[in-house]
Amino acid sequence: SGGAGVLMNVQNGEILSSVSFPEYNSEILSLGKDTKQIQIYLNDKRKIFLDRTISGLYTPGSIIKPFFAMGALTENVIDPYKKILSTGSISIPNPYFPNQKTVFKDWKAHGWVDMRQAIAVSSDVYFYEIGGGFESQKGLGIVNIEKYARLFGIGEKTGIDLPDEKGGVIPSPEWKIKNFKGERWRVGDTYFTVIGQYGFQVTPMEMARAIAAIANYGSLVTPHYILGDIEKEKIISKIDLKKENFDVVRQGMRESVLTGTSILLNVPYVQVASKTGTAQVGVSKTKVNSWIIGFFPYENPKYAFAVMMESGPSSGGVGASSIMRQLLDWMS
């Protein structure tokens, strides 16, 4: 029903392209003569006037996993070579019915995966365990999850040179108390948050900026449309984390393109590093938002991208990866 795409310079935050769909013809609005078409615009349920790149808030799904992988490495929650077994789900005792289990599913059984592989194949079980802890594996915990999301500017406005930018939402115990009539936070909430579900909401622009900071080893730039905006280009915050941790996450994203969920971007003319995401939306969960974020060229990144396709069918079809592939083909 809609979509958005952002292509950004990872060094200085220049926006090379940003697209929000559906679009409208601004000339029709300024002339004001075609009242029939204007009325169609106003009545369109797809929110034609919403700039989805900066004001559209969407559940991110797995595209936020690289940032929590950085957090887990920094907090020594896990060694990047340690393997976790995904048999397709994990189960924990149900707080309301102690003799029953609450099951948290992976999207498939991945077998034994280390951090790079977990990013490449997008293993939910791996991230449940390093996010919320499970048996002997300790977790980041919800406070650190929020800390590392915010470190990369997720859940906050980017400061772009346009009005009406939205900031996003990172679920937390305080957020749950406010939105769910005082209910307390449970480990299952942490599990859902660390894979980018639950009440998590982000804009495509903040995800493009966040992944640019993985590409450039920790410079959180300020996106801007005006070419050579010296003031905006000066506003950079440094994310002071170890280079080797960035390398692990980058390698996982490259592996995603070579053998994992981003294989559509495995093209001969440029090396891409990427992470896909699929977030279920709507009450019946029959629709999904399809995401892909990443950067290229892999060795010396120049561009970061974020593409989001809104409310598509949950069974395959054209997703964000195929849109990004078409863009790469066109650029080549």
Side-chain angles (χ1 to χ4, degrees), residues 17 37 81 87 93 112 132 138 171 176 185 209 294-295 307 329:
S17 177
Q37 185 58 50
Y81 297 101
T87 57
W112 292 95
K138 64 178 180 176
K176 188 178 182 185
W185 189 266
R209 175 173 77 147
F295 56 88
V307 178
D329 286 345

Side-chain angles (χ1 to χ4, degrees), residues 3-5 18-24 47-53:
S18 83
V19 178
S20 180
F21 179 85
E23 297 175 298
Y24 59 91
K47 298 187 179 138
I48 281 193
F49 299 116
L50 177 71
D51 182 347
R52 286 162 161 78
T53 58

Side-chain angles (χ1 to χ4, degrees), residues 30-69:
S30 53
L31 292 174
K33 290 174 185 166
D34 191 346
T35 50
K36 189 178 170 193
Q37 185 58 50
I38 291 169
Q39 213 50 48
I40 289 169
Y41 285 160
L42 291 170
N43 295 334
D44 195 313
K45 288 189 168 62
R46 298 174 302 165
K47 298 187 179 138
I48 281 193
F49 299 116
L50 177 71
D51 182 347
R52 286 162 161 78
T53 58
I54 60 164
S55 307
L57 290 170
Y58 303 97
T59 307
S62 296
I63 56 167
I64 47 109
K65 288 175 180 172
F67 309 101
F68 299 141

Side-chain angles (χ1 to χ4, degrees), residues 70 73-74 116 213-218 238-251 298-299:
M70 285 295 298
L73 292 172
T74 306
R116 291 174 181 82
I214 297 272
N216 64 27
Y217 289 102
K238 199 72 190 137
I239 302 166
D240 192 17
L241 302 175
K242 289 180 181 167
K243 181 179 181 292
E244 57 261 38
N245 293 347
F246 279 105
D247 282 334
V248 169
V249 171
R250 289 164 57 113
Q251 287 156 11
Y298 176 62
E299 292 298 339

Side-chain angles (χ1 to χ4, degrees), residues 108-129:
K108 65 184 268 196
H110 297 288
W112 292 95
V113 290
D114 64 17
M115 183 171 279
R116 291 174 181 82
Q117 293 163 326
I119 292 170
V121 300
S122 203
S123 167
D124 290 336
V125 161
Y126 183 94
F127 281 90
Y128 292 150
E129 295 198 18

Side-chain angles (χ1 to χ4, degrees), residues 226-243:
I226 296 171
L227 192 64
D229 185 333
I230 313 283
E231 291 310 305
K232 288 283 187 200
E233 290 180 12
K234 279 186 197 157
I235 308 169
I236 295 177
S237 52
K238 199 72 190 137
I239 302 166
D240 192 17
L241 302 175
K242 289 180 181 167
K243 181 179 181 292

Side-chain angles (χ1 to χ4, degrees), residues 278-281 285-290 309-316:
T278 308
Q280 293 181 322
V281 290
K285 306 287 189 205
T286 52
K287 296 267 193 266
V288 295
N289 290 342
S290 171
M309 299 287 283
E310 186 183 321
S311 296
S314 53
S315 54

